[in-house]
Amino acid sequence: MDFELRSAKEKLEREQRERKQRAKLKLEREKKSKEAAIKQREAIEAAQRARRLDAIEAQTKADQHMQESLVSGDGIVFERVFQAVSFQGNGDKIKLPPSCFTELSDQGAFDKGPLYFELSVVGHSDNKKTTHSGVLEFTAEDGTVGLPPHVWSNLFSTHDPMDVPLVEIRYIRLPKGSYAKLQPDNLGFSDLPNHKAILETILRQHATLSLDDVLLVNYGQVSYKLQVLELRPATSISVLETDIEVDIVSPDIVSDQPNQHVLKLLQYGKSESGTVEEGRYDYYKFVTDEATVEKVMAGSVKVIVKVDVEKDGADTDLYVSKHPVLFPSLHQHEWSSHDVGSKTLILGSKERALSSGTYSIGVYGFKGTVKYQVSVLVQESIDGAKVGERAVSSSSDVDTVECRNCKHSIPSRSIALHEVYCSRHNVVCNHHGCGIVLRVEEAKNHLHCEKCGKALQPTEMEKHLKVFHEPLTCGCGIVLEKEQMVQHQGRDCPLRLIACRFCGDMVEAGNSAADTRDRMRGMSEHESNCGSRTAPCDSCGRSVMLKDMDIHQIAVHGKSS
């Protein structure tokens, strides 16, 4: 009996403990559920507060951005995102779709003067690339914007190709610029004649300049990149209808890569050493003043350009030209020497092209890597008779007879002895037009080119044939030998470079001017178009075409230009 009571008691106590445990667990679950509900409600309220704050912040930013757009656009708001498409053009003026014309016109943008836009790459928030531009025309396809090479290169890096480049375009007003500081990427730009006039021509194709932009300046086949270091009065300026002071500073770091298009200054009488590889050029320059030219023309002095090379089988060619031809070459030069070994060019009184100014020297590596020394000298002319003095021949006092072998005039009393000696030791070259008298042992080394008849040494023949008689192809398609090619590119080739008399830039001559009067005045196609620009007359302020300014000065003001 006691056992049963004890068992029942234990069972009751166990059931009570289990009920208490279940109740405790239930309370804990209810507590956790309430806490989770509270946390969820707090999270929902926090998310709602965050969304409200984000909405308020976004609205504030939108209002601020709208206010900035209104201020920067002088009351005009225009912002669009377009797909960028490149097109070949000059300057910084872009092409927009026709719909943009309507929208800008409705807001009165055209009444406020030239249109300027801020362009930035979409998707580059960390390092947002930005530049500015004008507008060329409204002919782009809907959803696209046409970018010329200048704008494209300043917006997009060639190292980060994009499948679909997107550009955000915003209308903006820019102040007129007053100052710009530019820096070339390497040496050589300051050697260009009238380099500031060339810059003026480049900037005439632009509407804006932005800080850190890179300008590309082409001078013939040579290109220079100039980075914008400083602008005033703002970091982005308008360059339309304004006078800008431009400073050109030297590059901070000169590239380690060999630069063929740098002119090293030569001092008279001082030689410079150098090494040139086969197929490459080293360039130098020297300056001749008016006093030196007068002495050369009078025959009292001569200018000598010398290149001395080491005798190691390698060889060079020497080319000289006067500016604006900066970099003389096989195709384009005024003087040249192709002698084997050391070379000397003498610029004397017979050189009609000689005048005061700057001259360029090109040392070309013809064969192998050559070590050389180049120099320019002004040397007194040594002649047997003074300039203007008549030479007196001694034959008037002595009876002479012509030698049948060498054709020289010999005194009659010694002619027999001379002819015996001459016929034994001398021979006359029988080549047409030559007739030079040679020692017998020298005759075997006296050759004539079969094509042009020039007298040469055997060691010179191979180089002569390669330089003077290998066909050369001009960029215009014509094929000529060297001498004819130099004349063609200096006088007739439509692709030859000339210095425009109006803008100072080196440009292709092109075809003859379309205007008959311009053709009679010797203008090229470029000069005819460039000279059609107007400028105010210094005397009366009237706008006159540049090509008619000299006529205007004479006809209206009685001044000779």
Side-chain angles (χ1 to χ4, degrees):
M1 186 72 179
D2 292 338
F3 175 76
E4 292 177 354
L5 289 173
R6 204 167 39 249
S7 299
K9 183 179 179 182
E10 290 176 354
K11 181 178 179 182
L12 178 61
E13 290 176 350
R14 187 169 60 251
E15 290 177 350
Q16 288 177 346
R17 285 196 301 272
E18 290 176 354
R19 283 196 296 272
K20 288 180 179 179
Q21 187 69 27
R22 286 194 296 269
K24 184 178 179 180
L25 292 173
K26 183 178 179 181
L27 288 174
E28 290 178 354
R29 285 196 300 270
E30 290 177 351
K31 183 179 179 181
K32 290 181 179 179
S33 177
K34 289 180 180 178
E35 289 177 352
I38 291 172
K39 289 182 179 180
Q40 184 177 9
R41 185 169 60 253
E42 288 176 350
I44 292 172
E45 291 176 353
Q48 290 175 345
R49 284 197 302 272
R51 282 196 294 270
R52 287 196 296 271
L53 290 174
D54 289 344
I56 293 172
E57 184 179 358
Q59 184 62 40
T60 302
K61 287 184 177 179
D63 293 342
Q64 184 180 359
H65 187 67
M66 177 65 72
Q67 187 64 29
E68 291 176 354
S69 297
L70 285 171
V71 173
S72 61
D74 196 14
I76 296 172
V77 179
F78 175 85
E79 292 186 22
R80 292 291 180 271
V81 175
F82 294 113
Q83 178 182 345
V85 177
S86 64
F87 74 92
Q88 291 302 314
N90 297 319
D92 67 345
K93 297 176 183 177
I94 62 176
K95 295 180 180 180
L96 291 173
S99 58
C100 297
F101 177 86
T102 303
E103 184 172 350
L104 290 166
S105 179
D106 291 343
Q107 296 188 58
F110 294 96
D111 298 332
K112 295 182 179 292
L115 303 181
Y116 306 108
F117 298 94
E118 180 185 84
L119 289 77
S120 55
V121 180
V122 176
H124 284 67
S125 57
D126 296 337
N127 186 17
K128 195 171 184 179
K129 299 178 181 179
T130 302
T131 188
H132 297 78
S133 75
V135 61
L136 179 64
E137 55 190 33
F138 295 88
T139 58
E141 295 183 4
D142 289 337
T144 66
V145 56
L147 305 182
H150 168 80
V151 178
W152 186 281
S153 62
N154 281 295
L155 275 181
F156 302 111
S157 171
T158 55
H159 303 291
D160 299 324
M162 302 176 65
D163 294 335
V164 181
L166 298 178
V167 176
E168 180 182 1
I169 297 178
R170 183 162 70 100
Y171 175 87
I172 193 172
R173 299 296 299 166
L174 294 178
K176 290 188 175 183
S178 60
Y179 175 81
K181 181 188 291 185
L182 307 177
Q183 183 182 53
D185 61 341
N186 215 323
L187 298 174
F189 180 75
S190 59
D191 291 325
L192 301 182
N194 299 322
H195 57 272
K196 289 197 173 183
I198 296 172
L199 260 182
E200 181 184 346
T201 303
I202 298 297
L203 291 178
R204 198 179 297 127
Q205 301 167 349
H206 288 249
T208 68
L209 271 184
S210 301
L211 195 66
D212 294 329
D213 271 3
V214 176
L215 289 171
L216 182 65
V217 178
N218 293 315
Y219 188 85
Q221 297 179 347
V222 186
S223 297
Y224 301 92
K225 292 181 179 179
L226 282 75
Q227 185 176 14
V228 181
L229 297 184
E230 182 182 347
L231 294 172
R232 298 175 192 166
T235 56
S236 299
I237 59 172
S238 166
V239 296
L240 295 177
E241 299 177 355
T242 182
D243 293 328
I244 299 180
E245 179 187 353
V246 179
D247 280 344
I248 308 295
V249 298
S250 301
D252 292 332
I253 301 176
V254 179
S255 173
D256 294 333
Q257 297 296 324
N259 187 352
Q260 291 195 98
H261 299 104
V262 174
L263 296 173
K264 305 170 190 175
L265 181 62
L266 284 178
Q267 302 291 343
Y268 284 103
K270 183 178 179 181
S271 63
E272 291 285 342
S273 300
T275 302
V276 62
E277 298 176 358
E278 183 174 335
R280 297 183 68 85
Y281 287 88
D282 280 352
Y283 287 110
Y284 300 86
K285 65 179 179 180
F286 66 94
V287 180
T288 302
D289 57 24
E290 190 66 39
T292 302
V293 172
E294 289 179 358
K295 292 180 181 178
V296 172
M297 293 294 103
S300 58
V301 300
K302 52 190 174 184
V303 177
I304 300 176
V305 181
K306 295 181 64 176
V307 173
D308 295 320
V309 301
E310 294 185 359
K311 303 292 185 180
D312 57 358
D315 197 12
T316 62
D317 286 333
L318 174 62
Y319 302 101
V320 177
S321 67
K322 189 177 186 302
H323 290 193
V325 179
L326 292 181
F327 306 108
S329 64
L330 174 64
H331 287 189
Q332 192 173 33
H333 60 267
E334 293 185 44
W335 301 277
S336 65
S337 175
H338 304 277
D339 296 339
V340 176
S342 298
K343 297 160 183 65
T344 301
L345 277 176
I346 300 176
L347 309 183
S349 57
K350 296 181 180 180
E351 302 294 343
R352 296 182 179 179
L354 192 67
S355 60
S356 60
T358 305
Y359 291 78
S360 292
I361 300 172
V363 180
Y364 176 70
F366 178 79
K367 182 180 180 182
T369 300
V370 190
K371 293 183 179 179
Y372 65 88
Q373 286 191 332
V374 59
S375 60
V376 181
L377 310 170
V378 176
Q379 192 175 90
E380 291 186 2
S381 299
I382 302 175
D383 296 323
K386 297 180 180 179
V387 176
E389 180 181 339
R390 184 175 180 179
V392 179
S393 174
S394 61
S395 62
S396 59
D397 301 329
V398 181
D399 184 21
T400 61
V401 179
E402 185 181 87
C403 174
R404 289 173 293 182
N405 185 50
C406 66
K407 309 301 181 184
H408 289 174
S409 295
I410 306 299
S412 58
R413 65 177 178 271
S414 58
I415 185 63
L417 183 62
H418 169 82
E419 285 187 340
V420 171
Y421 180 87
C422 185
S423 60
R424 184 181 302 170
H425 294 89
N426 298 333
V427 294
V428 179
C429 177
N430 294 322
H431 189 276
H432 177 71
C434 182
I436 188 172
V437 180
L438 302 162
R439 302 290 290 181
V440 172
E441 59 272 16
E442 296 175 350
K444 60 183 179 181
N445 293 326
H446 180 76
L447 305 175
H448 285 271
C449 174
E450 295 180 356
K451 295 187 176 182
C452 65
K454 183 177 180 179
L456 301 163
Q457 295 288 321
T459 56
E460 299 174 330
M461 184 62 71
E462 180 183 358
K463 182 177 182 180
H464 172 81
L465 293 174
K466 183 176 180 62
V467 172
F468 287 89
H469 299 298
E470 275 195 0
L472 302 174
T473 303
C474 180
C476 67
I478 193 170
V479 179
L480 297 169
E481 292 185 354
K482 187 250 185 186
E483 294 292 341
Q484 292 79 20
M485 181 63 73
V486 172
Q487 295 180 6
H488 167 74
Q489 292 203 341
R491 189 176 56 196
D492 304 323
C493 181
L495 301 181
R496 73 187 186 279
L497 296 176
I498 61 171
C500 175
R501 67 185 78 179
F502 302 113
C503 66
D505 200 0
M506 287 291 288
V507 297
E508 292 181 356
N511 300 318
S512 300
D515 186 87
T516 304
R517 189 180 64 168
D518 291 346
R519 283 201 303 272
M520 294 177 63
R521 297 167 70 181
M523 294 185 191
S524 66
E525 183 179 17
H526 167 86
E527 289 176 323
S528 179
N529 295 329
C530 187
S532 297
R533 295 181 291 111
T534 60
C537 171
D538 294 336
S539 301
C540 64
R542 179 183 174 186
S543 293
V544 182
M545 285 195 295
L546 294 176
K547 60 185 178 183
D548 293 336
M549 187 66 73
D550 53 348
I551 299 175
H552 171 80
Q553 291 284 354
I554 296 172
V556 178
H557 304 292
K559 299 178 180 179
S560 58
S561 57

